[in-house]
C-alpha cells in the first residue's frame, strides 16, 4: 500500500486501488454479496456522524463554488428540503456551451490515460466520497426526502457500490483486447506474414448525466462512472431539486482529477433552476455522445427521439406488480409487503404499485384468506408497521416534491378508487416542517375498465392498488401485459404452487422483467444489491439498460487498431 | 468426438464443437492468427472443387425452394452474373408479415435453449457451410463479381471465420453471469440473508439481416450469427443481386436447426426483386428488434432514422485514405498499393480511394521522388500487375453492377479529373461476357475546391485519386477531417519519420479509424483477418459498429433475474 499523499501520482492510485478493483471484478462474475463500502453509519469512525453533519451544516446558506469551471457569475438555487429546513445553497450558473468547451478541452489527456489509470482515479473518487458518506447522507436526505438511514445507505455506500460496479465493468470491457498482439500467419514454404497490432480504446466524447430527484447518487453513479472510466468527460446536470449530492460528487471528482494531474474540467456541474432547459440544450449538442438519464417517461422519450447523435441510456417510469397466489408464511408476506410499500413512501422506481389478488382468495399456512381478508390484513400490517410516528418517519422519509404530494392527496380523496387504507400525515419530532405521508391502498378490479385505466398508469408515490383478479393465471396474464406495455422495474410473486411459479417465471422472461419470489424476510422487492442483482433489465419499456452489465459500458468507447509489420 | 449422425442431438453438437468454440474464445482474446476453416481450395478434398462446381451448376436455372417457409407461390429473380453467364435462379416470394409470424412462432424454444446449445448449432451450421465452400465460392463469384480465388476465400472460409468470431463473442457475453449464484449477506449477530439468484439470457426478438451486393456472406455472417447465437430469430433479406449465397446459407441453417430439433423458421429468407421494398417494410415492424445492414449511406441513415424500435448496426459508405510521406521500400510500397487498388476492382468498403502525396515529393531509399514520379510509378505498378489479362482477371474480378460500371465510365471520360491511369476493359478467356475494368488513377489537388468536392465523396469502384497535398502535416489534417466528416473504414500510411508516424497515429485515434502502417508485403490495407483485426471501428460515420467486439453482441440480448430465498 502506497502512503497516502496529498497529491498521489496515478501509479500510486493504481497500486492503492488494485486489490479493490480485482475484488470487484471477481464480484461481478460471482454475484455473491460483496461491498468495500460499509453500510453501517457507525463504521465511519467515532466522530464520523458528527463530522458529516457538521460538514453538511456548513454548506447551508452558502454559495457552492466549483473552482475552475467556467461560469457566468450568476447563481441558481431552488432546492427545498422535504423536511422543511432551509437549505439556501446556491450554485454557479454556467452556459451549456462553455461547459461543453471545457470538457472537450480536458478530454484528450484523459482519453490517452488508459483503462488502468482511469479505473484507479475513479476508485479514488469513490473512496473520498465514501469517507464523506455521512455528509452525503444528509445531502441526499434533504433533497430527496429519504429518511437519514436510507439516505445514508442508498445515497452513500450503496450508490458507491453501483459506481464501483460500473468502473469494474468498464475496466473489464476495455481490457478484453490486448494492448498489443503479435500476429503470425503461416505461408506454406514462404516466410510467415508477421505483424504487430496495437489496440487502443477511444472514448466516445463528452457524456451527459441527467440526474433525478429521488436517487441522485444511486441512479447517477452508474452512468457517471461508466462514462468516466471509459475515458469520456462528463457534464453532470442534476435535477434542480436534488443538486447538492451531485454537486458534492462533482467537487470530489474534480479534486481527485486535479490531484492526479488531470484537468478537473473533465467533470463539470450544470446546475440550473427548476424549469430550466439545460438538459434539452446539452442533450442535442454534437459533442455529447453519451447520455444517462433517470426520470419521467416523457423526457426520456424526448431524449431518445431527439438526441440522435448520442447513445441514450434511460430509466423511465414503470408499473410494478406483485402476484399474490399463495404462501406458507402469511405473516412474513404481509410484513414484507407492508415494508416494501412504506419504504421511502413508495417513491422508488422499484416499489410495487399493483398487488394482484385472486378474487376467490388465496391459500396460506393459516388457511384460506379471502380477497377482502388479504386486503384488510395487509392494511393492518402497514398500519402496524407505521403505528409509531418516529418509526414511521424513519421508514417513510418525506414526500419528495409537490407533484407526489398532490397525487397522494388525490388518492386520499378517493380519486383513484375505494380506499382500503387511507394515507395519513405523520408528524416528525425532529423536523416539524417535514411532509410525511403513509401509503394509500386502493381496491381495484382487473375486470373493470375504469379501474384498469387507473392502475395501469404509473402513480409514483405512496399509492398502491389491491387488484382483484379472476385467478392466478389471469393475474399472470395481466402482469405480462402490464410489464410489456407500461414497463416494470420489478415483479414480485408469492406462491407455493409449482405450476403458478413456473408460469410466473415464464411470464417474467417473456416480459423481460426480473422477479423476486416469496420474499418474507429481510430482502425486499424494491431493493437490489450491487455486484449481484441487476437493476432493471433493459428489456421492457421502463428502461433500455440495466445496472450493470457489459452492454451498459461496452459501447461507451470504441477500439482503434494500428498494425504494422514486425 | 461424437459419431456424426444424420440428426445429431444438441448434446452431440455441443460435444462435437466444444473444442472449436474454446479455441475461438482464446483467439479473440489473444488476437494471433487462427482459423479452423482452411483458406486453400485444395484443402477441401480431392473432388472438392469439382463437386462444388457441380453443386453450383445444378442450381442454375432452378427454383431455389426453401421448404417449410411461408410463401405466396410467386417467384422472384433478378441476379445477373458479372461474368455474363445466365444464372436463372428464382426464389420463393414471401410476404414480410408471414415471415415475421413464422420467425416469431419459432423463437421461444430457441430462446430457451441457452447459449451453449445455440453456439453448438451455429458452429454446426458453419461447419456444413464450410464443407460446401467451393459451392459458396461460385455463388459469391457470380453474384458479386469477385474472381473465384477471392470469392472462395472471402466468401467462404473468411466469412465463416467472421461468423464463428461472432458466435464466440456471443457465447462469451451470454455467459459472463453465472446461471445461478448463491448470495449470502452477513447480518451481524442475526442469521445471514441468503438467496439463490438465477440469471437467464432473454433474446431481443426477431432480427433482420439486410445483405449487400459485394460481400453477402462476409458482411452478412457477423450479424446473422451474432443474432442467432444470442437467441434471436433472423429474417435474411439479401441484396436482390446477391441472393444465392445467402439463400444457400439460409438453407443450411434451416437443415441444421431442423436436425437439432428446432423450428427451421428461425431463419427465413426474404428474397425480392430489385427495387422491392421488403427491407423498408421489415425494418419498421414492431417485432424486429435488431437490424444488421451493409450498404449505401442513404439507406443506412434511413434505417437509423426510421427503425426506432430496433438496435441498428450499420456499415455505410466511407472514403479511405493513404498518406504517402516516405518509405524505405519504394517498390514494395508501390506493389502493395497497386494490389490494394486492383483487388476486386476497388469494390471493397476498405479499398483506398485517396492517396495523399506531398506536392514537394517523398523520400525513399532510392532517393527523392516527385509527386509526378510517384503517380507515374504507381500507375506503372498497376499496369505491370495487370499486364496479363488472365492474371488481371484473377485479381480484378468483374464489375459488380451497372452503377459501378457507369461510374468507371465517367472516370474514364475524365469526369472526375485528369487521368494518370485510364481504366481499361480486360477480356476474360473463361468468361467472354465478363465486365472487367482496371482501376482509374486520377490526379487531384487538395487545395483546389472542385477537386476536394470530388475526391471527398465516395466513388465506390475502381477509382482512386492521387491527391497532391502541401505537406505530410497537411495530408494528416485532411485525412483527419475526411474520416471524421465522410467516414473511413481504413487508413494506410507510409512513412519512415517518427514524428509523421506519431502524428498519423494521433489523427487516426482522434478520427476513430484503424491504421495500417508501411504495408509493403503480403498484407493489404483492405484486408482484415478475423479473430485478430477489427473491421471498422464504429467511431466514425462509415459504420456504427465493428466486426467483432463485445459491443456488437452484448445488447442483442438482455438478462432477467429470478431470486428467492435459499
Amino acid at each position: 500500500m502506497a502512503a497516502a499523499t496529498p497529491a498521489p501520482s496515478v501509479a500510486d492510485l493504481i497500486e492503492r486501488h488494485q486489490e479493490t478493483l480485482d475484488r470487484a471484478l471477481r464480484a461481478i462474475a460471482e454475484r455473491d454479496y460483496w461491498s468495500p463500502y460499509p453500510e453501517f453509519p457507525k463504521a465511519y469512525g467515532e466522530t464520523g456522524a458528527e463530522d458529516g453533519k457538521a460538514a453538511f451544516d456548513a454548506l447551508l446558506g452558502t454559495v457552492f463554488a466549483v473552482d475552475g469551471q467556467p461560469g457566468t457569475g450568476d447563481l441558481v438555487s431552488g432546492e427545498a428540503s422535504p423536511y422543511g429546513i432551509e437549505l439556501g445553497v446556491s450554485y454557479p450558473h454556467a452556459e451549456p456551451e462553455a461547459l461543453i468547451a471545457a470538457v472537450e478541452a480536458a478530454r484528450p489527456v484523459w482519453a490517452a490515460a488508459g483503462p488502468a489509470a482511469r479505473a484507479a482515479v475513479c476508485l479514488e473518487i469513490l473512496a473520498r466520497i465514501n469517507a464523506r458518506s455521512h455528509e452525503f447522507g444528509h445531502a441526499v436526505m434533504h433533497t430527496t426526502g429519504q429518511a437519514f438511514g436510507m439516505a445514508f445507505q442508498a445515497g452513500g455506500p450503496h450508490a458507491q457500490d453501483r459506481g464501483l460496479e460500473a468502473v469494474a465493468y468498464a475496466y473489464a470491457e476495455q481490457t478484453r483486447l490486448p494492448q498489443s498482439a503479435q500476429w503470425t500467419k503461416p505461408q506454406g514454404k514462404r516466410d510467415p506474414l508477421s505483424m504487430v497490432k496495437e489496440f487502443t480504446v477511444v472514448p466516445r466524447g463528452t457524456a451527459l448525466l441527467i440526474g433525478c430527484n429521488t436517487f441522485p447518487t444511486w441512479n447517477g453513479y452508474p452512468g457517471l462512472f461508466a462514462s468516466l472510466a471509459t475515458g469520456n468527460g462528463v457534464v453532470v446536470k442534476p435535477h434542480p431539486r436534488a443538486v447538492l449530492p451531485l454537486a458534492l460528487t462533482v467537487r470530489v471528482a474534480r479534486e481527485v482529477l486535479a490531484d492526479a494531474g488531470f484537468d478537473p474540467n473533465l467533470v463539470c456541474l450544470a446546475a440550473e433552476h427548476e424549469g430550466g432547459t439545460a438538459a434539452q440544450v446539452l442533450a442535442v449538442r454534437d459533442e455529447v455522445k453519451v447520455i444517462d438519464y433517470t426520470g419521467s417517461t416523457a423526457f426520456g422519450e424526448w431524449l431518445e427521439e431527439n438526441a440522435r447523435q448520442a447513445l441514450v441510456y434511460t430509466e423511465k417510469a414503470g408499473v410494478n406488480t406483485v402476484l399474490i397466489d399463495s404462501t406458507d408464511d402469511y405473516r412474513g408476506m404481509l410484513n414484507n409487503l407492508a415494508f416494501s410499500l412504506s419504504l421511502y413512501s413508495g417513491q422508488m422506481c422499484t416499489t410495487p404499485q399493483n398487488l394482484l389478488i385472486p378474487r376467490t382468495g388465496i391459500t396460506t399456512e393459516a388457511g384460506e384468506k379471502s380477497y377482502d381478508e388479504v386486503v384488510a390484513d395487509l392494511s393492518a400490517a402497514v398500519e402496524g408497521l407505521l403505528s409509531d410516528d418516529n418509526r414511521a418517519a424513519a421508514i417513510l422519509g418525506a414526500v419528495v416534491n409537490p407533484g407526489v404530494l398532490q397525487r397522494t392527496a388525490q388518492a386520499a380523496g378517493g380519486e383513484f378508487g375505494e380506499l382500503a387504507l387511507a394515507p395519513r400525515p405523520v408528524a416528525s419530532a425532529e423536523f416539524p416542517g417535514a411532509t410525511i405521508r403513509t401509503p394509500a391502498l386502493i381496491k381495484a378490479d382487473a375486470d373493470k375498465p375504469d379501474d384498469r385505466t387507473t392502475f395501469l398508469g404509473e402513480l409514483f408515490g405512496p399509492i398502491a392498488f389491491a387488484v382483484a383478479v379472476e385467478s392466478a393465471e389471469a393475474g399472470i396474464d395481466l402482469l405480462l401485459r402490464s410489464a410489456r406495455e407500461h414497463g416494470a422495474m420489478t415483479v414480485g410473486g408469492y406462491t407455493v404452487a409449482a405450476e403458478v411459479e413456473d408460469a410466473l417465471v415464464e411470464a417474467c422472461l417473456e416480459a423481460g422483467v426480473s422477479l423476486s419470489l416469496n420474499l418474507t424476510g429481510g430482502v425486499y422487492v424494491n431493493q437490489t444489491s450491487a455486484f449481484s442483482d441487476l437493476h432493471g433489465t433493459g428489456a421492457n419499456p421502463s428502461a433500455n439498460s440495466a445496472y450493470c452489465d457489459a452492454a451498459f459500458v461496452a459501447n461507451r468507447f470504441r477500439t482503434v487498431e494500428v498494425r504494422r509489420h514486425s
Side-chain angles (χ1 to χ4, degrees), chain A residues 382-394:
Chain A
V382 173
E383 285 183 311
L385 178 70
L386 306 175
S387 57
D388 173 76
D389 273 2
N390 280 341
R391 177 166 138 161

Side-chain angles (χ1 to χ4, degrees), chain A residues 415-417 444-457 465:
Chain A
E415 237 177 86
F416 303 132
D445 191 316
D447 294 339
K448 290 186 180 156
D450 284 359
D451 285 13
R452 281 177 84 101
T453 305
T454 304
F455 71 71
L456 287 179
F465 293 86

Side-chain angles (χ1 to χ4, degrees), chain A residues 381-411:
Chain A
V382 173
E383 285 183 311
L385 178 70
L386 306 175
S387 57
D388 173 76
D389 273 2
N390 280 341
R391 177 166 138 161
I395 294 169
L396 294 165
V399 175
V400 63
N401 63 37
V404 176
L405 188 61
Q406 159 75 13
R407 207 173 297 124
T408 311
Q410 288 175 275

Side-chain angles (χ1 to χ4, degrees), chain A residues 319 353-354 451-458 478 482 485-486:
Chain A
V319 177
Q353 175 176 305
N354 296 329
D451 285 13
R452 281 177 84 101
T453 305
T454 304
F455 71 71
L456 287 179
E458 188 194 44
L478 173 60
S482 169
E485 288 163 29
H486 307 282

